Each structure stands twice: as structure tokens, then as C-alpha cells.
Amino acid sequence: MKTIYKKLLFLFLLLPFGAIAQSALSGVVVDGKSKQPLPGVNVIVQGAQNSTSTDFDGKFQLNGLKNGDKVVFSFIGYDSKTVTFSGQKSVNVSLDESANQLQEVVVQVGYGTVKKKDATGSVATVTAKDFNKGANVTAENLLNGRVAGVTINAGGGAPGTGSQIRIRGGSSLSASNDPLIVIDGLPVTNTTNTGSTSILASLNPNDIESFNVLKDASATAIYGSRAANGVIIINTKKGSKKLAVEYNFQYGSGKLFNKVDVFNAKDFISQVEANTINGTLSAGSTNLLGVDDPTTLITDDLTTPGVIEGRLLYNTDWQEAIYRRTDFVDNSVSVRGSLFDKIPAKLTLGNTYQQGLRLTNDFTRNSASVVLNPNFFNDHLKLRVNANFTNERNRFADGVEGTAIRFDPTKPIYDAASPYDGYFEYRNGPTTSDFLTQVPRNPVAQLLQTSDRGENNRVLGNFEIDYKFHFFPDLRAVVNLGFDESNGERTRRVGTTALTGFINGNTLYGTNEYSEATRRNKLLDAYFVYNKKFSKVNFELTTGYSYQKFQVYGYNTFNVNNPTAQPPRAFANPDEVLIGIFGRTNISISDKYLFTFSLRRDGTSRFSEDNRWGNFPSAAFAWKLGDDIFKDSKTFSDLKVRLGWGITGQQAIPVGDFYLERYNVGDPNSQYYFASSPYPVGVPAPRNPNLKWETTTTYNVGLDYGLFGNRITGALDAFYKKTDDLYFGDTPYADGSNFSNSGPANIGSFSTKGIEFSLNADVIKGDNLNWNINFNATKFERRIDELPAGSDVFFGQAGGTGGTVQIHREGYTPGSFFVYKQLYSTDGSPIEGAFADLNGDGIINGDDRYIYKNPDPDLVLGFASSFNYKNLDFSFNMRANLGNRIYNALKANRAYRALLKPDAELGNVLTSVLDTNFTNVNGENVISDIYIENGSFLRMDNITVGYTFPKWLDGKASLRLFTGVQNAFIITDYDGLDPEINEGRDDTIYPRQRQFLFGANIKF
């Protein structure tokens, strides 16, 4: 009993110490939706100085806690969560995205940022968590289908190839329609350098943090003369204070999944036999099938259908022969941390290898980037250094699809007796000079006998200084120095035993060409930002100066094997200099009424002094009417109306110095003779000192909305824009006014109007189950208002006849199809050569052609879905175009029975000839409206399934494994290979491959 009393007394004495004992708490903080770790979460003891933050894996440890302490977990964009400490050793915390996260999103708007809730222009932001998944070799594919009003189309499947990017349909007919791309504050040119595949091919997609798309002029006018087609601002990832390592690996295996429908060998033989019998083909045509059987002298007997005597027949699928199964490998490792515990830094190394479907087409990219972003003097001085180096290597492959479609399927790929490296070619003897002319060349041989290699080294970076004055903290000074240089080279070699090199007479000279080019871009931006709050008015003023210089020079040997080729020469384009003075004012009254005004005055060296400078103003207003009208609404959590107007410019015309007086050395027809010696003279070149900017005026009205606590957010925009002073490269000049009858000039206008809608919804939002969808829709119409002299402009080759099938005409959509109206028999079959006499003059000629449809879609749609259940994730993204039309140039040019023997040898044709039964190709048949097809489609770009192990390697790392399909399927009624083409004409494209993907993401 005494012992028990002693123990109770001892315990009683310890109670006061136990009450004040302090303990530690550790754990992991994850995203409530994706269950991914959240780095940088603030972990604070309420009412105390004790705090910490989570590391890259979401882990934390907080010491010095007492029972009853309130531990608050907070992170921007997420709802805070409070945990009461009661002696537990660990706790796992799940944070949910805040219903007001839209209010916290920061948007890049050019020379500054603005919160999404305060944006007055039409601006869209896509961050890394919303990027498209899959085999995205070039940066723009991360964005494809994600933003209303933005279309991205590579036009084919070449590895690393650049895409045609259009924002709201573009703004020009003859000049560039590409948006301005700004990478970490540095505007870059859209011109691809020698040896490269595209301007964005040298940017590692794993390095990108966000895209900001500026669509209307009130947002883009701050970039002035280059903003008429919109602006895309790309921000790369920054350094961090916490040490974190991330490794990404992805492998893909690709294959051809669709081919142009031509006859196989069996059906081709039947077609040649039948058309020889009916007289469409000349007698003896069946004796051209296959190759000669050296064991017999007999010839084919037409009375034995299906049996071709005297010939050795092969069954070659030439489309299969020129393609292969492909490999795709992508590796990227990123290390982030703090140098000397002072300088947040990031190092990223990347390697990407992608094979194209064509036998010899390869793309390789090796990249390295370094980022330093330290702050000094209590954040008064902020520095950022970005340095990127990329080595891009390509083996290019000729476009041999047209030849593969045409080539006789009864011919072999290889011929042991062939002098052309053992490849079958049409010949009449044993030597290389015994080749036949006016016949196709072996497409497999063309690929394998050609070495076309390019390499491009690019250095891209900037150094930014942002200083907030100590004695005047409302004022900041920002200086941004940017540099972008690409050094590229390309070598093309074809041997003297190949029929696809240079040939003169019967001699095969081959090809040996070398070219190199350097493109340099230097930038200086310097501006002040003044921000001050006066009672209920928040005022911000930005004003500055920009200087940018572009230089291009290089060297070209041309074909040194060609004895008549021009000699090697160096070249240097005139330097292009852009100078801008800009200002912008943002005014917020009571955080409800928002005003933005901007003005940029730009000067360019591309125009004469009289037209060198241009002014580009903009104005915008927004009203957060949700705070006034729906203040207590449980439905509307956010509502803002926007109005915008602005003028932007376009100076990217094909000629850069046409305003200058120039003289060319005269040819032998422009010489003076003194005595018996000829002397060349200087011949004046045409010029136009009146060339100037294209200018685009844009009006925009928009509505940003949030519903049910911002579980549903989005925007609705309507816009109208008109471009004046259109550039045309072949405008008639008045007689005697110039040294040419025509040339570049600014005449004409066209307009675009449209509507955009976007929606983002958290359909399900819970602790273990989350489902988010993103949807956008765009409809726009383009119309030509004025052309030079009101004259039509014809373009777009129709088949192989030299005619055209597209037209620019006042009052119509640019590039509309200009065709004959096909007539049909009573059973619905098209009548060959029969067209409607639309003008009623009894004659069928060009005056009977009419405008029928156009390549522009009636509606563009994008849809993405992301589903998470605990550690399992499933996502997909798809796109659709509705109502666009395509001129099927393949059908128009290759679906005729007579083309089974187009020349001295046989050739394949499209199986659609069985639908039309057309015999002869001519200038009228190829321009029939029967070849204008509906190009509507629904494409599933990517499907991905993944699983995350959040505590891999005993909790030291997280591991996500995933698999997926790229280009999973396409639904369309279009009869060609792929309806997703550029400019509305399908004359064979590089097929897109279907890839099966596997990968891993590891975070330490």
C-alpha cells in the first residue's frame, strides 16, 4: 500500500510538467482532388510565431507544440484547414481548391500581371495542371483544344513539326496570320531556322509553367504592331527554395492506322484487264503488269482473266512500304532548390527522340535550362535569369505519299539486277543511264537513297531586374534584356546511283547541297510601374520603352554536283529594328468598376520614314455586377461584364525593304557596248515607299461567370474585328508609275465576327472522388470587304492541271471554293463532264463557275475530362470541327480510269473511281463541286490512365505510372486520309500516327 501511495504522489508531481510538455507534429499535405502532394503549404500555429512549410513532397514537421494548439494549413487557391493538436505524432491533411480560386489566378498581360478577377480584356490562362497529356513534342500541343477561339493544327504527322496557330481566325489575307509568341518576356520571330522543324521545337514542354492567350485588342494593343493576330505568352518554371527533384519518362510506340484507298494488286490487275478489253487503255497494257518473266516469251492472253501470262506479279502495298512502326522516347529531369540558401534555382535537362512514320524521318532534341530568381533587400530587388540551350537534330524525309499512291502495286520494291542500288526502277537497260522518263520513281528508294540532315543550336534567355524603390515603394523600375540566337545547318545528299538526284540528259549527277543560317534576336525593355491606392480607387500606371533587333545571315552552296548551278553565296538580310514607346493605366474603383487604357507607338525599319511610325490605342471597361446585383445569390458566385476596343498592327509582310531604291545588275539583254566590249548597267527595281502597316480594329464584349461557389466558371465573348490596308503582293500599278506593272501595296479590307464560350466545372468534388470537365466552343465568320480594284484573286491548285479552285472575292469568305456545278443522272450518278450552265448562255466555260462552300468551320469545339478516385486518375481530351469543307485534290486528280496508264507505264488510282466511273481527267472535271467534301470531324487526341504511389521508397518519393493512347480515334464522313488539314486542300498529307504510351513520373 505504501508503494502505491508513493507512485501516486510521483505521478501527481509530474502532472504540471506534463501539462506544459511540448511535442512535434509531422505529416503530409495533399490536394483534395488529385491526392498529389502540395509543396509550399504554410503551416502556422495560430497566435504563435511557430511555423513551417511543406517540402516538394508535401511533407512537414512542426516542433514546439502544446496540447490545444491550433495548427492552420493554408495555400493560395485552396481553403485553409485547422487541426487541433492533442498529442498526435502525425496527421495527413487534404486541402480543397477554394471556391474563390478564380479570384486568385494571376494573368500575364504584357509588361505586367493582373488578377483574373480584375482583367478587362479577353484573356485565357492554361497552367501545367491543365495541359494536354501524351506525346506532346512541341509546346503548342499542350494547349490544343483548351482555349476558346484558338485553333492549332500541325497539318500532318511529321515529328517535331510546327503547327498553324490561329486566334479568332487570324486577321490577314496575304501577310502572316501567326500570333506573336512571347517567351519569358521575349517576343520571338515565327520564322523557322535552317535545320529546324519549327520555332517552338527547341522549347522543352516539360519546362513550361503556363500559357496566357491574349485575344482581343484591349489586351494585345500593348504589343502594338505585332499583335493583330493575338498574343501567346509562355512562362517557364521558376526556381524554388526547397530542394526537389522530378524525373519524367515516357515511351511510345506508333503505327499507321489509315491509308488512302487505292487498288490492291489483285483488284488493280482486274481493273487493267477490264479497261484494256473495253478500250479505255491501249492494247497490250496488261503486258506492263509486274515485271517480265525471263523464262518465257509469251504475252498476256486477255481471254484468261485473272491470269497474266509472261509476267511475274508482285503484291506491294506502297503506302505500307514507305512507313514503319515508330519509337518515341522522352526523358526530363528537373532539380530545384536554393543555392547558398539564398538563390532559388532550377536546372532542367531533357532529351526527346521521335521517329516519323516515313522510313528515314527522325527528330532529336537535347535541352538544358537554368533559372535563377533571387530576391534581395526585403523583396525590393528581384532578379530573374533564364538561360536555355537546345540542340535539335533532324533527318528530314521527302514527301513521297503522292508517288506511293500512284505506283503500280504489281511492281517489286527491290530488283537484284538494278543499277540503282538494287531498287526497282523503270528502265530499259543494265546501266544507270537506261532509265525511262515520265514515269514515277520508287518512293522507298527515294527515302533510303536520300540523306537530308539538319541541326540547329539555339540559345534563348533573358535577364530581368525588378526594383521597388526604397524611398518610393509605390514605384517599380523593370529592365528586361533578352537574347535569342539560332545557328542552323542542313545538308542534302543523293548519290549518283539514285534517280531522285539531279539529272542532266542521261547523266546522274546526284545532289550535294549545304546551307547554314544564323538568326539573332536582341531585346531591351525598360519600364516603370506606379501603383497607388487612393481610398476606394486603385491606380496603376505602366510606361516604358522597347528596342528589338533581328538579324539574319547565312550561306548556301546550292548543288555543287550540278555543273550549271549558281555558285555558292553568302547572304545577309537587312537588319530589322522595332522601337516601341508604350503606356497602360489600370483603374479600379471600389473593386467593382475597372478601366484599362493603353497606347503604344511603334516604329519599324521595314517601312519608309513617312509610314514608319504607328499608334495603337486601346480601352476597356469591366463591371463586377455580381457584387451589386447578385450579392446574396447562392447561384451566382462571380459575374463580370467586359467591354473592349483597340487597334493593333501587322508588320510581318513578306517584303522587308521594298520601300528602298534598289538597282540590280543587268542581264545580257541590259548592256551597253563601248567599242566591242559589253558593260552591264544598273536596272532600277520596282519599289513602293507607301507600304505600311495592316491595322486591325477590334470590338469585344464579354461575360465572366462563376456559379455555385465557383464550382462552375467560364466566359462568353462576342467580337468583331476589321482589318484595313491589307497587304497584297501582286497589286496592279498605274502605267508608267513604277518599274513594274504590279507589286506589293496596301489595298483592301476584311472583317471577322464571332462568339466564344468556355466552361470549367467541378462535377464531383470530394475527399476521394473528383471529376472536372472543360468545354469550349467557337463560331466565327470571315468576310472580304474590299480587294484591289474589286478584282477576284484566284489560288489553290486544282489537281495537276495548273488551274485553281479557290478564290478571294468581295462579300465572301476568304479561300472559298470556285467550282463547276456537277450534273447527275436520274439514278443519282454523276455525269462525266456535265456541268450546269449557270449563266444560261448555252456554253460551259469559266463563266459558269460559282462559289460553293469554304474551308472555315461553322463551329469549333474542345472538351477535356479529368477523373480521380483516390490514387487512380483517368483523363482524355478531344476536339471537333463542324461544317468545314475540303477540296479533295487526290480524288480530283487520281480517280479516273484513263490514269491506270497515264504514260508509258501503269499507275494506280483511287478506288473512288468505282463510285463516279469517270474516265478522263481534264481542266473542268477537276474543278467539279463533287470534290468539295464535308470535313467535319471529332478527334480523340489522348486518353491517359495513371496510378500514383504517394509513399514510394519508404515515403522518400512519390511515383506515378501511366499508360495512354495518342490520336486514339477520329470520327468523320470525309473520304480522304485525314480531314484535319490546313487551307482546305487535301493533296496528300504526312499521316498522323497512333501511339501507345507508357511512362513514369517520380518526385523526390
Side-chain angles (χ1 to χ4, degrees):
M1 181 65 69
K2 188 175 181 179
T3 302
I4 293 176
Y5 280 132
K6 288 182 178 180
K7 290 182 177 179
L8 289 174
L9 178 62
F10 182 73
L11 179 61
F12 181 78
L13 292 173
L14 287 179
L15 282 175
F17 296 98
I20 61 173
Q22 297 183 337
S23 302
L25 178 68
S26 62
V28 178
V29 182
V30 299
D31 181 286
K33 176 182 174 182
S34 67
K35 303 305 178 186
Q36 294 293 308
L38 285 176
V41 175
N42 296 312
V43 185
I44 301 172
V45 179
Q46 200 173 71
Q49 300 296 318
N50 197 6
S51 66
T52 186
S53 61
T54 59
D55 63 15
F56 192 75
D57 296 315
K59 298 177 181 178
F60 73 93
Q61 180 166 326
L62 192 61
N63 299 313
L65 292 174
K66 304 187 299 291
N67 285 339
D69 279 348
K70 305 290 187 181
V71 182
V72 180
F73 298 82
S74 63
F75 192 54
I76 292 178
Y78 289 79
D79 290 331
S80 298
K81 184 167 288 187
T82 301
V83 174
T84 301
F85 180 72
S86 58
Q88 65 267 46
K89 296 297 183 182
S90 64
V91 62
N92 292 331
V93 178
S94 174
L95 295 186
D96 295 323
E97 290 186 4
S98 171
N100 295 316
Q101 63 176 324
L102 180 67
Q103 311 293 316
E104 304 298 332
V105 175
V106 176
V107 178
Q108 290 276 348
V109 290
Y111 308 105
T113 60
V114 65
K115 289 184 178 180
K116 178 68 175 176
K117 69 183 182 71
D118 296 329
T120 57
S122 183
V123 182
T125 298
V126 180
T127 57
K129 70 182 182 67
D130 296 319
F131 287 166
N132 292 330
K133 295 179 174 62
N136 297 304
V137 176
T138 52
E140 70 273 15
N141 291 307
L142 299 171
L143 191 65
N144 200 1
R146 288 285 181 168
V147 178
V150 178
T151 57
I152 300 173
N153 182 9
T161 188
S163 300
Q164 182 191 83
I165 306 174
R166 295 291 179 265
I167 298 178
R168 294 181 168 180
S171 64
S172 184
L173 292 182
S174 302
S176 173
N177 278 301
D178 297 326
L180 174 66
I181 296 176
V182 181
I183 303 175
D184 289 326
L186 173 63
V188 299
T189 178
N190 282 307
T191 304
T192 301
N193 197 33
T194 299
S196 179
T197 56
S198 74
I199 188 64
L200 291 178
S202 58
L203 193 61
N204 183 355
N206 293 300
D207 246 352
I208 296 176
E209 184 175 62
S210 67
F211 293 89
N212 293 273
V213 182
L214 315 184
K215 295 186 282 187
D216 73 333
S218 67
T220 64
I222 195 71
Y223 286 106
S225 64
R226 293 174 287 175
N229 297 310
V231 180
I232 297 178
I233 300 175
I234 300 175
N235 295 310
T236 58
K237 295 176 181 177
K238 302 178 179 65
S240 66
K241 294 182 179 179
K242 297 288 184 178
L243 178 63
V245 180
E246 181 174 358
Y247 172 65
N248 290 284
F249 167 78
Q250 190 169 194
Y251 170 78
S253 177
K255 66 177 184 178
L256 179 72
F257 73 95
N258 194 16
K259 295 181 292 186
V260 175
D261 292 327
V262 294
F263 290 111
N264 59 31
K266 179 182 177 181
D267 294 337
F268 181 74
I269 293 168
S270 298
Q271 287 295 317
V272 172
E273 284 184 313
N275 284 278
T276 302
I277 292 172
N278 67 25
T280 299
L281 304 184
S282 59
S285 292
T286 54
N287 290 308
L288 298 175
L289 289 163
V291 297
D292 183 56
D293 184 350
T295 65
T296 180
L297 296 177
I298 63 173
T299 57
D300 181 48
D301 182 0
L302 289 176
T303 64
T304 58
V307 178
I308 308 299
E309 292 84 0
R311 309 295 292 177
L312 298 177
L313 304 178
Y314 293 83
N315 183 12
T316 303
D317 186 331
W318 287 99
Q319 290 182 81
E320 289 283 355
I322 62 173
Y323 300 130
R324 62 182 172 180
R325 186 196 66 80
T326 68
D327 289 320
F328 164 72
V329 181
D330 183 65
N331 288 279
S332 179
V333 60
S334 176
V335 181
R336 294 193 291 179
S338 184
L339 295 178
F340 315 112
D341 293 325
K342 296 290 185 182
I343 303 176
K346 178 185 71 71
L347 170 66
T348 300
L349 302 175
N351 169 263
T352 302
Y353 172 71
Q354 185 182 33
Q355 291 181 322
L357 283 173
R358 291 175 188 159
L359 291 174
T360 56
N361 192 194
D362 297 315
F363 170 88
T364 303
R365 177 181 60 221
N366 296 295
S367 62
S369 67
V370 176
V371 178
L372 305 174
N373 49 282
N375 299 341
F376 301 100
F377 310 125
N378 294 323
D379 292 342
H380 276 262
L381 177 63
K382 299 179 181 180
L383 304 179
R384 181 169 184 184
V385 178
N386 287 287
N388 299 271
F389 171 77
T390 305
N391 170 259
E392 178 190 346
R393 287 175 287 141
N394 292 284
R395 182 170 181 182
F396 301 96
D398 295 346
V400 296
E401 281 77 11
T403 307
I405 291 167
R406 176 186 177 188
F407 217 91
D408 180 351
T410 66
K411 295 293 189 289
I413 299 174
Y414 304 100
D415 174 6
S418 169
Y420 310 109
D421 296 333
Y423 294 102
F424 171 84
E425 297 284 6
Y426 291 106
R427 58 190 176 91
N428 56 15
T431 68
T432 58
S433 61
D434 295 323
F435 57 88
L436 300 184
T437 59
Q438 297 183 340
V439 292
R441 304 304 180 195
N442 186 328
V444 175
Q446 182 172 349
L447 291 174
L448 297 177
Q449 291 179 304
T450 302
S451 175
D452 188 353
R453 300 179 183 273
E455 183 172 356
N456 185 61
N457 293 311
R458 185 180 187 186
V459 176
L460 169 70
N462 72 304
F463 174 48
E464 183 180 89
I465 303 172
D466 187 334
Y467 176 62
K468 181 169 64 176
F469 291 89
H470 282 77
F471 58 87
F472 193 10
D474 296 328
L475 183 66
R476 293 167 43 230
V478 181
V479 176
N480 184 32
L481 302 174
F483 183 79
D484 180 13
E485 180 173 294
S486 294
N487 293 281
E489 60 181 26
R490 184 168 179 174
T491 303
R492 180 180 175 87
R493 292 190 176 93
V494 181
T496 56
T497 54
L499 290 176
T500 50
F502 175 70
I503 300 175
N504 190 0
N506 288 332
T507 303
L508 279 61
Y509 286 90
T511 301
N512 186 2
E513 299 174 349
Y514 172 81
S515 59
E516 63 182 32
T518 295
R519 293 183 175 273
R520 186 177 296 124
N521 169 11
K522 294 183 285 187
L523 171 76
L524 167 63
D525 284 338
Y527 55 96
F528 291 98
V529 181
Y530 174 72
N531 196 316
K532 183 70 174 178
K533 188 170 184 178
F534 304 94
S535 184
K536 295 183 179 181
V537 177
N538 193 35
F539 177 82
E540 182 183 84
L541 173 65
T542 302
T543 182
Y545 170 85
S546 178
Y547 175 91
Q548 194 163 12
K549 183 177 183 179
F550 298 91
Q551 297 171 292
V552 180
Y553 57 89
Y555 176 76
N556 196 331
T557 66
F558 305 101
N559 185 6
V560 297
N561 290 358
N562 179 1
T564 62
Q566 58 178 303
R569 69 177 180 88
F571 67 90
N573 293 350
D575 291 351
E576 180 182 335
V577 177
L578 298 173
I579 295 176
I581 303 169
F582 57 87
R584 178 178 59 223
T585 300
N586 293 320
I587 302 172
S588 173
I589 301 175
S590 300
D591 198 30
K592 294 181 183 179
Y593 311 106
L594 311 170
F595 300 87
T596 300
F597 305 96
S598 72
L599 174 65
R600 180 166 180 135
R601 180 167 173 80
D602 263 346
T604 177
S605 61
R606 297 175 70 91
F607 303 133
S608 66
E609 292 185 6
D610 293 337
N611 297 293
R612 184 159 292 169
W613 292 90
N615 297 317
F616 304 98
S618 76
F621 165 74
W623 173 27
K624 299 178 184 177
L625 52 86
D627 296 339
D628 290 334
I629 300 177
F630 301 104
K631 185 175 183 180
D632 299 320
S633 172
K634 295 182 179 180
T635 302
F636 291 96
S637 49
D638 186 63
L639 203 62
K640 181 177 66 177
V641 173
R642 295 177 279 103
L643 300 173
W645 165 89
I647 299 175
T648 51
Q650 164 71 285
Q651 61 100 39
I653 61 176
V655 291
D657 58 352
F658 198 75
Y659 70 92
L660 294 173
E661 292 187 14
R662 296 166 300 165
Y663 291 85
N664 300 321
V665 177
D667 58 25
N669 295 319
S670 302
Q671 296 179 338
Y672 281 109
Y673 277 83
F674 292 95
S676 59
S677 300
Y679 292 88
V681 298
V683 180
R687 61 187 289 258
N688 184 356
N690 297 317
L691 280 179
K692 56 184 178 181
W693 326 90
E694 291 185 344
T695 56
T696 300
T697 303
T698 302
Y699 303 87
N700 194 95
V701 57
L703 176 70
D704 296 333
Y705 63 88
L707 305 174
F708 310 113
N710 279 0
R711 287 280 295 271
I712 300 175
T713 60
L716 177 67
D717 280 85
F719 62 89
Y720 173 82
K721 58 182 182 178
K722 183 174 182 179
T723 302
D724 294 305
D725 298 322
L726 286 174
Y727 167 84
F728 284 95
D730 192 25
T731 304
Y733 292 155
D735 292 341
S737 66
N738 214 312
F739 296 102
S740 175
N741 294 325
S742 63
N746 294 95
I747 299 177
S749 63
F750 92 100
S751 57
T752 305
K753 60 182 178 181
I755 188 168
E756 301 168 349
F757 173 76
S758 64
L759 178 146
N760 187 83
D762 290 319
V763 181
I764 301 174
K765 190 173 183 180
D767 291 336
N768 295 319
L769 181 63
N770 292 275
W771 181 26
N772 174 268
I773 62 171
N774 178 280
F775 171 77
N776 64 80
T778 306
K779 178 177 176 58
F780 64 87
E781 294 180 354
R782 301 187 299 159
R783 292 291 183 268
I784 298 174
D785 300 317
E786 182 187 358
L787 290 172
S791 300
D792 295 337
V793 178
F794 302 96
F795 66 100
Q797 184 177 351
T801 64
T804 58
V805 73
Q806 289 178 275
I807 188 173
H808 290 329
R809 175 175 286 181
E810 292 181 355
Y812 290 88
T813 299
S816 293
F817 298 113
F818 192 53
V819 292
Y820 291 103
K821 187 175 182 62
Q822 181 71 47
L823 295 181
Y824 298 82
S825 64
T826 55
D827 65 358
S829 300
I831 304 172
E832 184 172 358
F835 307 105
D837 182 12
L838 296 184
N839 67 354
D841 63 359
I843 302 172
I844 303 298
N845 57 25
D847 295 334
D848 294 300
R849 294 169 68 180
Y850 76 115
I851 290 180
Y852 177 67
K853 307 293 184 179
N854 62 77
D856 285 358
D858 295 328
L859 191 63
V860 180
L861 304 172
F863 183 79
S865 172
S866 176
F867 180 88
N868 298 80
Y869 176 69
K870 294 186 177 179
N871 295 326
L872 179 69
D873 61 86
F874 171 73
S875 64
F876 65 83
N877 56 282
M878 60 173 63
R879 295 173 294 110
N881 275 21
L882 303 177
N884 57 300
R885 293 302 193 271
I886 297 173
Y887 172 65
N888 193 329
L890 266 180
K891 271 190 180 181
N893 200 39
R894 294 298 310 167
Y896 303 91
R897 296 186 184 279
L899 293 181
L900 289 166
K901 188 175 181 295
D903 38 49
E905 296 290 339
L906 300 176
N908 212 341
V909 298
L910 273 64
T911 57
S912 60
V913 71
L914 301 177
D915 300 323
T916 62
N917 286 311
F918 286 178
T919 299
N920 296 304
V921 58
N922 57 51
E924 288 76 30
N925 283 346
V926 298
I927 312 178
S928 168
D929 62 7
I930 197 175
Y931 300 118
I932 308 301
E933 299 186 22
N934 191 332
S936 301
F937 68 87
L938 171 66
R939 184 187 295 276
M940 179 66 77
D941 282 324
N942 178 266
I943 301 174
T944 297
V945 178
Y947 189 86
T948 301
F949 300 89
K951 295 184 178 181
W952 190 51
L953 298 180
D954 297 326
K956 296 178 181 178
S958 67
L959 168 66
R960 177 176 177 266
L961 301 177
F962 63 89
T963 183
V965 182
Q966 190 83 4
N967 196 16
F969 64 80
I970 183 169
I971 300 173
T972 181
D973 288 333
Y974 179 59
D975 201 35
L977 185 67
D978 191 327
E980 195 171 5
I981 60 173
N982 292 324
E983 314 304 338
R985 291 182 61 259
D986 181 7
D987 192 14
T988 74
I989 68 169
Y990 196 139
R992 293 173 171 87
Q993 56 184 290
R994 177 168 295 148
Q995 290 177 294
F996 297 90
L997 305 171
F998 310 90
N1001 170 258
I1002 305 173
K1003 296 180 179 179
F1004 294 94

